[in-house]
Structure formats: C-alpha cells, structure tokens
Amino acid sequence: MKKLTNQRLASLRDWMATNNVSAIVLPNGDPHNNEYACPRWKGREWLTGFTGSNGTVVVTKDHALLWSDSRYYEAADATLEGTDFKLVRMSDLGVLNINQWLAKNLSEGDNVALLGGEISLLQIESTIEQLTPKGIKVETEHDFLNAIWTDRPAAPKGPIYLVDEQYTGVSCADKVTQLREKMKEQDLSAYLLGRTDESNWLMNFKGTDFPDLTTPYCHTLVTLSGVALYIDPDKVDQQTAESLTAQGVELKAYELIQSDLESLPSDTKILINPNYINFNSSQSLDHCDCKRSRPIVTDLKKVKNDTEISNLRDCMVRDGAAITKAFYWMYQQLENNAPLSELDISNKLNECREQIADYAHTSFSNIVGYAANGALNHYMITEESNAQINANNLTLIDCGGSYLSGTSDTTRTFPMGEVSEEQKKDYTLVLKCLIQSLTIMFPAGTTCAQLDGITRDSMWRHGRNYKHSTGHGIGFGLEVHEGPQNIG
C-alpha cells in the first residue's frame, strides 16, 4: 500500500503540473459533509491509506502533508511511515491550520484547487477569505480526483425502507407540520435539509448505502407548500414510493437538486447550513435570500418523544443483555485457555446482537483493542493487526448496535488478568471522571465545554488527559453521533 500511495501522489503531482495548480486540499468529503463517507468519496483515504475519521491532505510540488487530530497521531504515523506524506499534528499548540499554512507557503499568483461538489460552503469560504488577501486564487471547478482515480467506485444504490410509527411515534405528515411552523416563525419560505440524517428523521425512513449507517445519500427541499426528496430512483421501490407520495412527498432524481435550486424564485427566503451544503450547490442559491443557521431539524430531533424514549429504554436493556453474553463468553474462553483474538470478540458481539428481533446492523465498526491496540483511538481491527488475547493486560471494547428501536454505543475496559499499577491508576482516574460527570450539579446555561473540563478534573490533577471528547448525543436509530449535544 505504501508504494501505491507514492505512485498515486506522483500521478496527482503530474496532474497538478499539467493543469498549472500550485496546491490541492483533499479531505474525505462527500456532497453533504457527512461524518462518514461511502467509498466513492473517500479520496483522502484512497490517496494516503489513512482511515481515520478526521484528516485532510495538502499537496504541493514540494510538500505532501496530512492534518489530523490527537486521536489519530499513532495510527497516522504508522500508516504514513514509508510514504512521502508527513503528519501535521493539528491538536498541538502553535500548529498552523491548513489555511494559515497555505498562506505562509504559497506566493501571490499561486492557486489552490478544492472539490467544490464535495467540500462544504463553510470550508471553502474560509479558504477564500484567508487566501484572497495574499493574492492566492481558490479554484473549485477542477475535478482532480476523477482525473487520477481511474477505478473510482460509483455512488451507492442501497434501497431505503420505511419505519413504522410504532417506533417513530410521529408521522411524516406531523413532522412536516412541526417543521413548517418553525419555518414560519423564522419567516422562511424554503429550507434545504443538507445532512442526510435530517431527511431520515423527517420522512421516517432508513437507508442501506452503508453497512453500518442508516443514512442514504439524498437531499430534501421543504417549502411551505411542498416536500421534494432528491434521491436515486433505484433506491426506492414502488411500495415505498407510493407511501411517500401519499404523505405529500415528491420524489425527484438526486442530480436535479442544483438545477431546482437555481429555479427557485428570487424572493425565496431559504434556510441553509453552510457546513452541510457543498460549495457548488450553494452557488445555485446566489439569487435567493439565504439565511444561515443551525438546521431546524437538528433541534426538532434532538428531543426524543415519549414513544422513542420508551423504545430506547427497552432497546438498551436488550442490547446490554446481548453484549453481556459476549463478555461472559470472552472470560469463559480465557478460563478454558481457548484461543481468543480481537476479531473473535468482535464476531461474538455481532452474533449476540443479531439474535435481537429489530437489529439492523452495527452502529459503527466494532473496536476491540488488546494491550497497546486499546490505546489507539478509533482503532480498527484488521487481519494484520488482530491481536491474540492472553490472561493479562487490558482490553478496550467500544461497540454499538442500530435497531428500529434505537441506537447504542457502549465502551468498556476489561482487565484480562494481572495488570500493572500504572494501568490501575489510569483506570481508576477515568472511573473518577465518569462518576464526577454523572453526579455533578450544574445551573441552567452551563455549557458542554464547561462540563467537559469539570469531568477531566481528576485526571488533570495527576497530569493526565484523554485525547477525545467526553461524550456525545446519539440518534434514535440514526447516526451514532448526533448533535447538538457534545460534551467536548
């Protein structure tokens, strides 16, 4: 893979020279700026081999750099070793961000290419704002990824399916009514749902574009008189189409979104979120009155209704029982001196969850890390890294399930036998942080960032820290990371 990475980098630089491009910026970016991208939009991963959720590549004639945060330092170093790419540790103090680095290292008259259809309006506007005063041009019309990625995967065509109201608690029609009331309060005539899980929530459907996610690639445009769902027609069977149509939803081809945005009347007051609309789509709305704000659906779906809460509580009990069976099996294997590996535990977790009636799939790839692997944030098991587990050291297990009745995300750290005094201390400090988080009393108006700092107090007192946020919201059968709640 490392040789292939250098070959792909060379091809990219050849393209840059031919097209007179000074630098390119490449994240794993899809048209919605979703947290997870399907293989077609994993350009950064294809180029570098780095699989972490956060990372952006910058390539010039003389530099090949990957910016990533502290969760992935060890994994990125291991992946990039032996390649021409170097890691930029973006969480460290004093490190330049990408736009600052470009402004410092490029010259007046140079240009930077970004994929306008795959990068958010917010990110490209920020780049333009910081580079234009330096005389550096930002270009979004180049499609350099398609030019060098000759076997690039096609967009997925996983079918969608409707979820019964016994799980959602509220019909699509009632949700649209709620949404329009909020639109009227904000004097809006239209609202573009950019993040794909917003469409899932509004129309009570799930998708299968991803093996571990319920959100399919789609756009939704809501006006005061209509709802249009832009989606590949191959994803919608006749029964689903008829049901959505009966609820007032017009189905349109995914690629028509930009032309339809261009056709909106000039007096349209439309809500967009600059983080969830790609730059090219935003240009189709230049003639409209665009209001930038947090999506209305974010605040509607963050508060679970009584049906969702009841289902979720039952789901957590059943999910907890399933993983407890797997944990019991794990210790039985150790006691019987039977072979046990990280993949063995991961497979057993899946097997136990699959016995639950409304189970759909894992809510993210299982993380099972033994010894040093457990210290790698978002560690991914491979056949090469799969560690054999012995009756000593620690094993970290982070796993979750996606059900019709909810979503789970559970992290546990297990002593497999004798552990060191340092490990006992770290384990105890993390436990104290958890207890602090669960028991703290705080006034209204306290921010999640403040709670994050208070939670870390026990570790900070001992000169320790953890390189990730403290906690996050979870969607109801949707994304395993759901805002706006984020203790970090």
Side-chain angles (χ1 to χ4, degrees):
M1 179 62 199
K2 298 181 187 299
K3 182 179 180 181
L4 196 57
T5 293
N6 289 336
Q7 291 173 349
R8 290 169 177 171
L9 176 61
S11 296
L12 176 58
R13 282 181 165 148
D14 287 344
W15 179 92
M16 292 169 61
T18 300
N19 291 273
N20 193 33
V21 170
S22 310
I24 65 97
V25 178
L26 180 64
N28 268 2
D30 70 15
H32 308 269
N33 197 22
N34 288 316
E35 180 179 5
Y36 300 102
C38 74
R40 175 170 180 79
W41 285 293
K42 290 185 177 181
R44 182 220 67 211
E45 182 176 324
W46 171 82
L47 181 63
T48 66
F50 176 65
T51 60
S53 62
N54 184 17
T56 300
V57 158
V58 173
V59 175
T60 68
K61 182 179 67 173
D62 301 315
H63 298 89
L65 304 173
L66 169 71
W67 269 256
S68 191
D69 65 58
S70 57
R71 295 173 297 167
Y72 297 112
Y73 285 172
E74 293 85 356
D77 278 335
T79 300
L80 300 182
E81 184 181 4
T83 76
D84 293 333
F85 280 94
K86 305 298 180 186
L87 174 65
V88 179
R89 298 175 174 244
M90 60 185 283
S91 297
D92 291 359
L93 294 175
V95 174
L96 298 179
N97 65 36
I98 288 173
N99 290 335
Q100 291 169 336
W101 187 92
L102 289 169
K104 179 179 180 180
N105 287 275
L106 296 182
S107 304
E108 184 176 355
D110 283 344
N111 57 1
V112 178
L114 298 97
L115 300 171
E118 302 176 20
I119 299 181
S120 72
L121 168 63
L122 186 68
Q123 182 175 343
I124 291 186
E125 277 190 336
S126 174
T127 303
I128 293 172
E129 180 181 344
Q130 295 186 53
L131 297 188
T132 299
K134 301 286 186 179
I136 302 168
K137 184 180 180 182
V138 177
E139 300 178 349
T140 60
E141 67 275 10
H142 290 299
D143 197 350
F144 56 85
L145 200 53
N146 266 342
I148 65 171
W149 193 355
T150 56
D151 59 347
R152 187 177 185 181
K157 292 181 176 287
I160 66 172
Y161 60 95
L162 298 177
V163 180
D164 193 89
E165 207 170 314
Q166 73 178 85
Y167 296 107
T168 66
V170 182
S171 68
C172 168
D174 287 341
K175 288 181 177 180
V176 171
T177 298
Q178 293 177 39
L179 178 55
R180 286 190 174 130
E181 288 302 315
K182 295 294 183 182
M183 290 171 61
K184 291 173 184 176
E185 290 175 8
Q186 298 184 32
D187 192 26
L188 298 169
S189 53
Y191 168 31
L192 178 65
L193 281 64
R195 187 81 176 254
T196 52
D197 62 326
E198 298 174 352
S199 298
N200 285 61
W201 177 87
L202 183 66
M203 285 167 276
N204 293 334
F205 67 76
K206 298 183 187 295
T208 56
D209 277 351
F210 298 83
D212 296 328
L213 294 175
T214 58
T215 51
Y217 283 95
C218 62
H219 298 273
T220 301
L221 180 63
V222 180
T223 66
L224 296 179
S225 59
V227 178
L229 173 62
Y230 296 83
I231 191 167
D232 188 324
D234 290 342
K235 297 179 180 180
V236 188
D237 63 28
Q238 183 176 349
Q239 183 178 358
T240 302
E242 290 175 352
S243 179
L244 289 171
T245 301
Q247 297 180 80
V249 177
E250 181 182 7
L251 297 173
K252 307 192 81 171
Y254 181 79
E255 61 271 12
L256 293 178
I257 182 63
Q258 288 192 24
S259 60
D260 279 9
L261 293 178
E262 291 171 356
S263 299
L264 289 173
S266 59
D267 61 351
T268 300
K269 297 179 179 179
I270 185 169
L271 174 65
I272 62 171
N273 183 285
N275 203 38
Y276 297 142
I277 182 172
N278 63 68
F279 182 79
N280 288 352
S281 293
S282 74
Q283 301 307 289
S284 302
L285 290 170
D286 277 350
H287 64 295
C288 294
D289 181 2
C290 293
K291 178 180 179 181
R292 301 185 179 197
S293 181
R294 189 160 79 191
I296 296 172
V297 167
T298 293
D299 289 329
L300 289 176
K301 69 183 174 67
K302 75 178 180 182
V303 180
K304 311 310 177 194
N305 61 51
D306 290 343
T307 300
E308 289 174 320
I309 292 171
S310 175
N311 279 318
L312 188 56
R313 284 174 172 158
D314 179 63
C315 176
M316 292 301 101
V317 171
R318 292 181 290 119
D319 182 81
I323 62 175
T324 299
K325 289 180 182 178
F327 299 156
Y328 175 79
W329 171 87
M330 174 181 72
Y331 275 118
Q332 288 294 104
Q333 293 292 102
L334 285 175
E335 290 180 10
N336 295 329
N337 294 316
L340 182 66
S341 71
E342 294 170 342
L343 279 176
D344 290 335
I345 296 174
S346 178
N347 292 335
K348 190 65 177 181
L349 286 164
N350 293 342
E351 176 188 318
C352 292
R353 281 196 166 105
E354 286 165 0
Q355 296 172 18
I356 299 177
D358 67 328
Y359 174 78
H361 46 69
T362 56
S363 52
F364 55 94
S365 298
N366 292 334
I367 300 170
V368 181
Y370 176 64
N373 288 342
L376 300 176
N377 287 295
H378 293 194
Y379 163 68
M380 292 182 65
I381 317 168
T382 65
E383 293 291 345
E384 293 74 26
S385 69
N386 182 30
Q388 293 297 312
I389 295 172
N390 302 309
N392 58 53
N393 223 306
L394 298 172
T395 296
L396 178 138
I397 298 177
D398 185 358
C399 63
S402 182
Y403 304 85
L404 293 177
S405 54
T407 304
S408 69
D409 179 359
T410 302
T411 304
R412 297 289 183 269
T413 300
F414 295 92
M416 310 308 287
E418 288 299 317
V419 295
S420 69
E421 289 302 313
E422 184 178 11
Q423 287 173 325
K424 290 178 182 178
K425 183 174 182 178
D426 286 341
Y427 187 103
T428 302
L429 290 175
V430 172
L431 177 59
K432 290 182 71 173
C433 288
L434 176 62
I435 293 171
Q436 174 81 347
S437 180
L438 293 174
T439 59
I440 183 175
M441 298 292 290
F442 54 89
T446 302
T447 67
C448 288
Q450 290 170 326
L451 294 177
D452 179 80
I454 294 169
T455 297
R456 296 173 190 263
D457 177 67
S458 293
M459 297 199 78
W460 286 351
R461 288 176 183 274
H462 290 266
R464 284 163 159 76
N465 201 6
Y466 48 90
K467 298 178 179 180
H468 47 76
S469 64
T470 292
H472 57 83
I474 297 179
F476 181 81
L478 294 175
E479 301 281 353
V480 73
H481 300 133
E482 179 179 277
Q485 306 93 329
N486 180 42
I487 304 176

Coordinates of all heavy atoms in Angstrom, one line a residue, residues 424-442 448 450-471 487:
K424 N -3.8 0.4 36.6 CA -4.8 0.5 37.7 C -5.1 2.0 38.0 O -6.2 2.4 38.2 CB -4.3 -0.2 38.9 CG -4.3 -1.7 38.8 CD -3.8 -2.4 40.1 CE -3.7 -3.9 40.0 NZ -3.2 -4.5 41.2
K425 N -4.0 2.8 38.0 CA -4.2 4.2 38.3 C -5.0 4.9 37.2 O -5.9 5.6 37.5 CB -2.8 4.8 38.5 CG -2.9 6.3 38.9 CD -1.5 6.9 39.2 CE -1.6 8.3 39.6 NZ -0.3 8.9 40.0
D426 N -4.6 4.6 36.0 CA -5.3 5.3 34.9 C -6.8 4.8 34.8 O -7.7 5.7 34.6 CB -4.6 4.9 33.5 CG -3.3 5.6 33.3 OD1 -3.1 6.6 33.9 OD2 -2.5 5.1 32.5
Y427 N -7.0 3.6 35.0 CA -8.4 3.1 35.0 C -9.2 3.8 36.1 O -10.3 4.2 35.9 CB -8.4 1.5 35.3 CG -9.7 0.8 35.2 CD1 -10.0 0.1 34.0 CD2 -10.6 0.9 36.2 CE1 -11.2 -0.5 33.9 CE2 -11.9 0.3 36.1 CZ -12.2 -0.5 34.9 OH -13.4 -1.1 34.8
T428 N -8.6 3.9 37.3 CA -9.3 4.5 38.4 C -9.6 6.0 38.2 O -10.6 6.5 38.5 CB -8.5 4.3 39.7 OG1 -8.2 2.9 40.0 CG2 -9.2 4.9 40.9
L429 N -8.6 6.7 37.6 CA -8.8 8.1 37.3 C -9.9 8.3 36.3 O -10.7 9.2 36.4 CB -7.5 8.7 36.8 CG -6.4 8.9 37.8 CD1 -5.1 9.4 37.2 CD2 -6.9 9.8 39.0
V430 N -10.0 7.4 35.3 CA -11.1 7.5 34.3 C -12.4 7.3 35.0 O -13.4 7.9 34.7 CB -10.9 6.5 33.1 CG1 -12.1 6.5 32.2 CG2 -9.6 6.9 32.3
L431 N -12.4 6.3 35.9 CA -13.7 6.0 36.6 C -14.1 7.2 37.5 O -15.3 7.5 37.5 CB -13.5 4.8 37.5 CG -14.6 4.4 38.4 CD1 -15.9 4.1 37.6 CD2 -14.3 3.1 39.3
K432 N -13.1 7.8 38.1 CA -13.5 9.0 38.9 C -14.0 10.1 38.0 O -15.0 10.8 38.4 CB -12.2 9.5 39.6 CG -11.7 8.6 40.8 CD -10.5 9.2 41.5 CE -10.9 10.4 42.3 NZ -9.7 10.8 43.2
C433 N -13.5 10.3 36.8 CA -14.0 11.3 35.9 C -15.5 11.0 35.5 O -16.3 11.9 35.5 CB -13.2 11.3 34.6 SG -11.5 12.1 34.8
L434 N -15.7 9.7 35.3 CA -17.1 9.3 34.9 C -18.1 9.6 36.1 O -19.2 10.1 35.9 CB -17.1 7.8 34.6 CG -18.5 7.2 34.3 CD1 -19.1 7.8 33.1 CD2 -18.4 5.7 34.1
I435 N -17.7 9.2 37.3 CA -18.5 9.5 38.5 C -18.8 11.0 38.6 O -19.9 11.4 38.9 CB -17.9 8.9 39.7 CG1 -17.9 7.3 39.6 CG2 -18.6 9.3 41.0 CD1 -17.1 6.7 40.7
Q436 N -17.7 11.8 38.4 CA -17.8 13.2 38.5 C -18.9 13.7 37.5 O -19.7 14.5 37.8 CB -16.5 13.9 38.3 CG -16.5 15.4 38.2 CD -16.5 16.1 39.5 OE1 -16.7 15.4 40.6 NE2 -16.3 17.4 39.6
S437 N -18.8 13.2 36.3 CA -19.7 13.6 35.2 C -21.1 13.3 35.5 O -22.1 14.0 35.2 CB -19.3 13.0 33.9 OG -20.1 13.4 32.8
L438 N -21.3 12.1 36.1 CA -22.7 11.6 36.4 C -23.3 12.3 37.6 O -24.6 12.3 37.7 CB -22.7 10.1 36.6 CG -22.3 9.2 35.4 CD1 -22.2 7.8 35.9 CD2 -23.4 9.3 34.4
T439 N -22.5 12.8 38.5 CA -23.1 13.3 39.8 C -23.0 14.8 39.9 O -23.6 15.3 40.9 CB -22.3 12.7 41.0 OG1 -20.9 13.0 40.9 CG2 -22.5 11.2 41.0
I440 N -22.4 15.5 39.0 CA -22.2 17.0 39.2 C -23.6 17.7 39.1 O -24.5 17.3 38.3 CB -21.3 17.5 38.1 CG1 -21.1 19.0 38.3 CG2 -21.8 17.2 36.7 CD1 -20.1 19.6 37.3
M441 N -23.8 18.7 39.9 CA -25.0 19.5 39.9 C -24.5 20.8 39.2 O -23.5 21.4 39.6 CB -25.5 19.8 41.3 CG -26.0 18.6 42.0 SD -27.4 17.8 41.3 CE -28.7 19.1 41.8
F442 N -25.3 21.3 38.2 CA -24.9 22.5 37.5 C -26.1 23.3 37.2 O -27.2 22.8 37.0 CB -24.1 22.1 36.2 CG -24.8 21.2 35.3 CD1 -25.7 21.7 34.3 CD2 -24.7 19.8 35.4 CE1 -26.4 20.8 33.4 CE2 -25.3 18.9 34.5 CZ -26.2 19.5 33.6
C448 N -21.6 22.7 27.4 CA -21.0 21.3 27.4 C -19.5 21.4 27.5 O -18.8 20.5 28.1 CB -21.3 20.7 26.0 SG -23.1 20.2 25.9
Q450 N -17.8 23.5 29.5 CA -17.6 23.6 30.9 C -17.7 22.2 31.6 O -16.9 21.8 32.4 CB -18.5 24.6 31.5 CG -18.3 26.0 31.1 CD -19.4 27.0 31.6 OE1 -20.5 26.6 31.6 NE2 -19.0 28.2 31.9
L451 N -18.7 21.4 31.2 CA -18.9 20.1 31.8 C -17.7 19.2 31.4 O -17.3 18.4 32.2 CB -20.2 19.5 31.3 CG -21.5 20.2 31.8 CD1 -22.7 19.5 31.2 CD2 -21.6 20.1 33.3
D452 N -17.2 19.4 30.2 CA -16.1 18.6 29.8 C -14.9 18.8 30.7 O -14.2 17.9 31.1 CB -15.7 18.9 28.3 CG -14.5 18.2 27.8 OD1 -14.7 17.0 27.4 OD2 -13.4 18.7 27.8
G453 N -14.6 20.1 30.9 CA -13.5 20.5 31.8 C -13.6 20.0 33.2 O -12.7 19.4 33.8
I454 N -14.8 20.1 33.8 CA -15.1 19.6 35.1 C -14.9 18.1 35.2 O -14.3 17.6 36.2 CB -16.5 20.0 35.6 CG1 -16.6 21.6 35.7 CG2 -16.9 19.4 36.9 CD1 -18.0 22.1 35.8
T455 N -15.3 17.4 34.2 CA -15.2 16.0 34.2 C -13.7 15.5 34.2 O -13.4 14.6 34.9 CB -15.8 15.4 32.9 OG1 -17.2 15.7 32.9 CG2 -15.6 13.9 32.8
R456 N -12.9 16.3 33.6 CA -11.4 15.9 33.5 C -10.6 16.2 34.8 O -9.4 15.9 34.8 CB -10.8 16.6 32.3 CG -11.4 16.2 30.9 CD -10.8 17.1 29.8 NE -11.5 16.9 28.6 CZ -11.1 16.1 27.6 NH1 -9.9 15.4 27.8 NH2 -11.8 16.0 26.5
D457 N -11.2 16.8 35.7 CA -10.5 17.4 36.9 C -9.6 16.3 37.5 O -8.4 16.5 37.8 CB -11.5 17.9 37.9 CG -10.8 18.4 39.2 OD1 -10.0 19.4 39.1 OD2 -11.0 17.8 40.2
S458 N -10.2 15.1 37.8 CA -9.4 14.1 38.5 C -8.1 13.7 37.7 O -7.1 13.4 38.2 CB -10.2 12.8 38.7 OG -11.3 13.1 39.6
M459 N -8.2 13.7 36.3 CA -7.1 13.3 35.5 C -6.1 14.5 35.5 O -4.8 14.3 35.6 CB -7.5 12.9 34.1 CG -8.4 11.7 34.0 SD -8.4 11.0 32.4 CE -6.9 10.1 32.4
W460 N -6.6 15.7 35.3 CA -5.7 16.8 35.3 C -4.9 17.0 36.6 O -3.7 17.4 36.5 CB -6.5 18.1 35.1 CG -7.0 18.2 33.7 CD1 -6.7 17.5 32.6 CD2 -8.0 19.2 33.2 NE1 -7.4 17.9 31.5 CE2 -8.2 19.0 31.8 CE3 -8.7 20.2 33.8 CZ2 -9.0 19.7 31.0 CZ3 -9.5 21.0 33.0 CH2 -9.7 20.8 31.7
R461 N -5.5 16.6 37.7 CA -4.7 16.7 39.0 C -3.5 15.8 39.0 O -2.6 16.0 39.8 CB -5.7 16.4 40.1 CG -6.7 17.5 40.4 CD -7.7 17.1 41.5 NE -8.7 18.1 41.7 CZ -8.6 19.2 42.5 NH1 -7.5 19.3 43.2 NH2 -9.6 20.0 42.6
H462 N -3.6 14.8 38.2 CA -2.4 13.8 38.1 C -1.6 13.9 36.8 O -0.9 13.0 36.5 CB -3.0 12.4 38.3 CG -3.5 12.1 39.6 ND1 -2.7 11.5 40.6 CD2 -4.7 12.3 40.2 CE1 -3.5 11.4 41.7 NE2 -4.7 11.8 41.5
G463 N -1.8 15.1 36.1 CA -1.0 15.3 34.9 C -1.4 14.4 33.8 O -0.6 14.2 32.9
R464 N -2.6 13.9 33.8 CA -3.1 13.1 32.7 C -4.2 13.7 31.9 O -4.9 14.6 32.4 CB -3.5 11.7 33.2 CG -2.3 10.8 33.6 CD -2.8 9.7 34.6 NE -1.9 8.5 34.6 CZ -0.8 8.5 35.3 NH1 -0.4 9.5 35.9 NH2 -0.1 7.4 35.3
N465 N -4.5 13.2 30.7 CA -5.6 13.7 29.9 C -6.0 12.6 28.9 O -5.3 11.6 28.7 CB -5.2 15.0 29.2 CG -6.4 15.8 28.8 OD1 -7.5 15.5 29.1 ND2 -6.1 16.9 28.0
Y466 N -7.2 12.8 28.3 CA -7.6 11.9 27.2 C -7.8 12.7 26.0 O -8.3 13.9 26.1 CB -8.8 11.0 27.6 CG -10.0 11.7 28.2 CD1 -11.0 12.3 27.4 CD2 -10.1 11.8 29.6 CE1 -12.1 12.9 28.0 CE2 -11.2 12.4 30.2 CZ -12.2 13.0 29.3 OH -13.3 13.6 29.9
K467 N -7.4 12.2 24.8 CA -7.4 13.0 23.6 C -8.6 12.8 22.8 O -8.5 12.6 21.6 CB -6.1 12.6 22.8 CG -4.8 12.8 23.5 CD -3.6 12.3 22.7 CE -2.3 12.6 23.4 NZ -1.2 12.1 22.6
H468 N -9.8 13.0 23.4 CA -11.0 13.0 22.6 C -12.1 13.7 23.5 O -11.8 14.1 24.7 CB -11.4 11.5 22.3 CG -11.3 10.6 23.5 ND1 -12.3 10.6 24.5 CD2 -10.4 9.7 23.8 CE1 -11.9 9.7 25.4 NE2 -10.8 9.1 25.0
S469 N -13.3 13.8 23.0 CA -14.3 14.5 23.8 C -14.8 13.6 24.9 O -14.5 12.4 24.9 CB -15.5 14.9 22.9 OG -16.1 13.8 22.3
T470 N -15.6 14.1 25.8 CA -16.1 13.3 26.9 C -17.3 12.5 26.5 O -17.5 11.4 26.9 CB -16.4 14.2 28.1 OG1 -15.2 14.8 28.6 CG2 -17.1 13.5 29.2
G471 N -18.2 13.1 25.7 CA -19.5 12.4 25.4 C -20.2 13.1 24.2 O -19.8 14.2 23.8
I487 N -20.4 16.9 24.7 CA -19.6 17.3 25.8 C -18.1 17.2 25.4 O -17.5 16.1 25.5 CB -19.9 16.4 27.0 CG1 -21.4 16.4 27.3 CG2 -19.1 16.8 28.3 CD1 -21.8 15.5 28.5

